[in-house]
Amino acid sequence: MIRRLVLAADDRLGSSHFLKAALRKAFPDHWSFMLGEIALYCFIFLILSGTFLGFFFDASGAHVRYQGSYEALHGAEVSAAYASVIRLSLETRTGLLIRQAHHWAALIFVAAIAVHMCRVFFTGAFRRPREINWVVGLTLLLLALGAGFTGYSLPDDLLSGTGLRIAYSVLLSVPFVGGYLAFMFFGGNFPAAQTSSRLFITHILFLPALLAAAMTIHLAIIWRQKHSQFRGPGRTEHNVVGSPLWPNYALKSIGLMFAVFAVMIGLGAFFEINPIWSYGPYYPANVSSPAQPDWYIGWLEGALRLGPNWELHVFNHTVPSPFWAGVLVPLFFFSLLYLWPFIERRITHDGDAHQLLDHPSDVPARTAVGAAVLSFAIILTFAGADDVMAKLFSIPLERLVAIFQVLVLVLPAVVGLLAFEIAREVRARRQALRNAESRIIYARTEAGGFAQRPEPEADK
Amino acid sequence: MKLFAIAVTFSISLIASVFFMIAYALNLSTQLQGLGLFVALGALGAGIVLWALYALPQRQTVNAIEDYPSDESDRAGAEETLNRGTGELERRSFIMRFFFGAIGALGLAALFPFRSLAPRFGRGLYHTKWTSGSRLVREDGTPVKVAELAVGSVVTVFPDGAAGDESSQTLLLRVPPGTIQATKGRADWAPRGYVAFSKVCTHAGCPVGLYRASSFELLCPCHQSVFDVVNEARPISGPASRALPQLPLAIDSEGYLRAQNDFSEPIGPGFWQRS
């Protein structure tokens, strides 16, 4: 059967040359190489579950009187969008399960991308020839953030409505074009009648299409360039060693896919997320406290909370305070990330193509920069929950904000220095171990015992 | 033994799928339906991975990296072909100029429809629905009479006929008479201790929803800006830099609270065109 299919394809496409190479493609076995795959499988799950949800969702901001099965809201004036999400959650079989799994998948999607990016950064996998994929990958992260935020905003509940109001204000704060940007995206002064349908089309068509396109490019480039690999016996700058695609790697990867799906469904089944019926519908004059966004927006929320209260008035124009923290900080953050491969090349004068990955300790300076940037984002995320922490630890909020304002400036420097010193120490020890006169390498034998192994060339 | 374990794992997945179908048909709880799907997917995934690890010969394969860069003759060939073609195009440089003119104009024209996405600013960014003499009503549309609010209380009000309007939302507070420090021109804006401020935060537009009556402070729950009610709602701390605009109030002959006017400045967060 398979044989006939392969022959039939080859008769018409001449595909056997490609197929032969493809089936023998080497995939290095290392846990950190699965992070990107987890993101890919999250995306597939999001498309599948999102399509299901789309059949039930009504992207309309029109006001309706709620008459559904959730009694606490009976008679309340809500938007058709909000009512349809409650109906799909409480009256459609598997509706709640799939909606919650979809939300969890979105959180894990962004997390997987972020951790994957850290792996790529700290091992120097972004170096030539893979700078293009670093840029494509970062674009994927931005698209994922956009898809996450628009999806979070769709149900038109009180929490997401507040988040939208903030996003609108941040867009509005951009000099020269802010008003046009905000009106263009929201369809008028907030809350405009068209906001719901614009969010919907952005969330279900525009961003997923871009994500799918960028992901295709990302994978095609990996396919062409082949995987990078960690140092090891038999691994050089001109080869890649790993499990063959067929059948070993394909099987493992498909298994991972089902495992990822299982985690999503498990979270959706047992862990409540975004219960919009208890948040209530969005009324512009209402707000909840404490209000927390999804985790990946936390750093932006934190930046807004810590941001300076400078409002510039120049020549009869205004540059409002959210601009500094809400626009400039993420702009600077992502510019640095986009440019990093080129910055590093400028500093190290290393324009060579790299197939072997660095250990994070191999390049202490890069590790220090990564750790500093990461600590900056993390401290901002915590600052985004400062009201919760103030309550939890009984610290006056104003003092906590002041502490965070100092931390966000000082901590990245401290963490960077610390990472630099640790990496140097680790590198020295690794080198000492490698250069040691008398070393004996033991390896596990097939029978389960240990035996002395001759020293491999590549490790010297 | 290992093969047996793999077979058992797949069997568990199969049973769980059947369990899910039954749970769906009987409309059992979300948790039970989810449990079925969770086990079906998880056991399937585990079985496949076990299969790959324990029932397949473990092998490593080595691929050489030789696809790039191309060898010198290919590079030179590509470059030469490209240059020859480009040269042929450039020989008719005046046609090129017209061509790029046309493409550029079309590109510019294609941007124009995007302007339709953004309606004109209109009055929305600058004015609210408050007008001279608007009666203050609550969210449910009931008007506010002067005797109805106790000192220390706060209520969200709107102009009559626009209850629930985002930009018109206003906080009506009653403070002990004499505590308000009004600057010149605002002396008659707060009759009998009633004072009203826009509820839209001047930082990022959240409703300023928390009131600490003991210290006359309004707190925005989004980014924790604090405004001083008795001092014209000037910001005390947090990222807001501008006071909440004040709505001038009056009491009519029947005892209803009314607005003297709209706010004297645009409410809410700043924007470029705001002077």
Side-chain angles (χ1 to χ4, degrees), chain A residues 26 93-94 165 169 189 198 224-225 238 240 242 248 251 262 285 301 305 309 311 316-318 320 322 397, chain B residues 24 33 38 48 57 59 61 63 65 67-68 117 124 166 169 199 203-204 222 224 241-242 270 272 274-275:
Chain A
R93 279 186 208 187
T94 68
R165 183 63 175 93
S169 306
N189 202 14
R198 289 199 181 177
R224 178 69 184 165
Q225 295 184 332
H238 304 287
V240 52
N248 300 57
L251 220 54
E301 171 77 3
R305 290 182 185 201
N309 62 349
E311 183 165 278
N316 235 0
H317 287 290
T318 300
L397 189 71
Chain B
Y24 182 91
Q33 297 183 32
F38 168 68
I48 294 174
R59 52 167 90 82
T61 186
N63 294 166
I65 303 287
D67 296 336
Y68 56 91
L117 285 174
E166 202 266 349
Q169 56 178 304
K199 195 180 176 181
H203 171 237
C222 285
Q224 288 84 39
S241 68
R242 242 182 309 112
W272 178 248
R274 189 185 200 278
S275 56

Side-chain angles (χ1 to χ4, degrees), chain A residues 21 24-27 29 93-94 96-97 100 129-130 162 165-166 168-169 172-177 179-180 183-184 187-191 194 198 224-227 235 237-244 246-248 251-252 254-256 258-259 261-263 265-266 268-270 282-289 291 301 304-305 307-311 313-314 316-322 355 386-387 397-398, chain B residues 20 23-27 30-35 37-39 41-46 48-49 51-53 56-68 70 114-125 127 139 156 158 164-167 169 199-210 212 217 219 221-224 226 235 237-242 267-275:
Chain A
R24 292 176 186 179
K25 199 169 174 55
F27 286 80
D29 295 297
R93 279 186 208 187
T94 68
L96 181 62
L97 176 65
Q100 295 198 136
R130 297 184 175 79
T162 309
R165 183 63 175 93
I166 299 170
Y168 172 82
S169 306
L172 204 59
S173 76
V174 178
F176 304 104
V177 295
Y180 301 101
F183 272 48
M184 206 174 257
N189 202 14
F190 187 87
Q194 286 189 12
R198 289 199 181 177
R224 178 69 184 165
Q225 295 184 332
K226 302 202 172 90
H227 282 74
R235 298 178 183 180
E237 290 283 10
H238 304 287
N239 72 4
V240 52
V241 181
S243 301
W246 190 254
N248 300 57
L251 220 54
K252 275 190 255 184
I254 292 168
L256 176 67
F258 284 115
F261 286 6
V263 168
I265 290 286
F270 300 113
Y282 177 60
Y283 290 128
N286 292 1
V287 65
S288 54
S289 175
E301 171 77 3
L304 280 176
R305 290 182 185 201
N309 62 349
W310 309 327
E311 183 165 278
H313 297 274
V314 280
N316 235 0
H317 287 290
T318 300
V319 183
S321 58
Q355 182 59 19
D386 58 4
D387 51 341
L397 189 71
E398 286 83 354
Chain B
F20 167 73
Y24 182 91
L26 299 180
N27 200 14
T30 291
Q31 285 82 356
L32 283 174
Q33 297 183 32
L35 180 70
L37 263 190
F38 168 68
V39 174
L41 288 163
L44 183 60
I48 294 174
V49 172
W51 187 4
L53 292 180
L56 273 182
Q58 296 300 304
R59 52 167 90 82
Q60 293 276 293
T61 186
V62 181
N63 294 166
I65 303 287
E66 56 196 6
D67 296 336
Y68 56 91
S70 315
F114 286 93
R115 181 64 184 84
S116 307
L117 285 174
R120 291 187 182 288
F121 288 170
R123 290 169 44 87
L125 276 177
H127 297 282
E139 193 152 11
T156 303
F158 299 89
D165 180 59
E166 202 266 349
S167 63
Q169 56 178 304
K199 195 180 176 181
V200 184
C201 186
T202 54
H203 171 237
C206 289
V208 183
L210 300 172
R212 207 180 286 151
E217 284 171 355
L219 175 76
C222 285
H223 307 106
Q224 288 84 39
V226 179
S237 70
S241 68
R242 242 182 309 112
I267 59 107
F271 50 97
W272 178 248
Q273 287 82 359
R274 189 185 200 278
S275 56

Side-chain angles (χ1 to χ4, degrees), chain B residues 33-113:
Chain B
Q33 297 183 32
L35 180 70
L37 263 190
F38 168 68
V39 174
L41 288 163
L44 183 60
I48 294 174
V49 172
L50 289 175
W51 187 4
L53 292 180
Y54 298 115
L56 273 182
Q58 296 300 304
R59 52 167 90 82
Q60 293 276 293
T61 186
V62 181
N63 294 166
I65 303 287
E66 56 196 6
D67 296 336
Y68 56 91
S70 315
D71 56 46
E72 274 311 316
S73 67
D74 277 345
R75 277 167 95 109
E79 198 181 338
E80 193 217 308
T81 312
L82 188 69
N83 286 344
R84 191 175 53 214
T86 313
E88 286 165 5
L89 293 174
E90 279 173 346
R91 216 169 304 143
R92 302 282 176 260
S93 64
F94 80 99
I95 297 185
M96 282 271 266
R97 255 173 259 146
F98 280 100
F99 170 71
F100 281 123
I103 283 284
L106 185 62
L108 208 62
L111 291 178
F112 273 58

Side-chain angles (χ1 to χ4, degrees), chain A residues 41-51 101-103 105-106 109:
Chain A
Y41 295 138
C42 282
F43 181 67
I44 293 173
F45 185 85
L46 284 163
I47 295 286
L48 294 175
S49 55
T51 306
H102 186 78
H103 200 130
F109 181 44

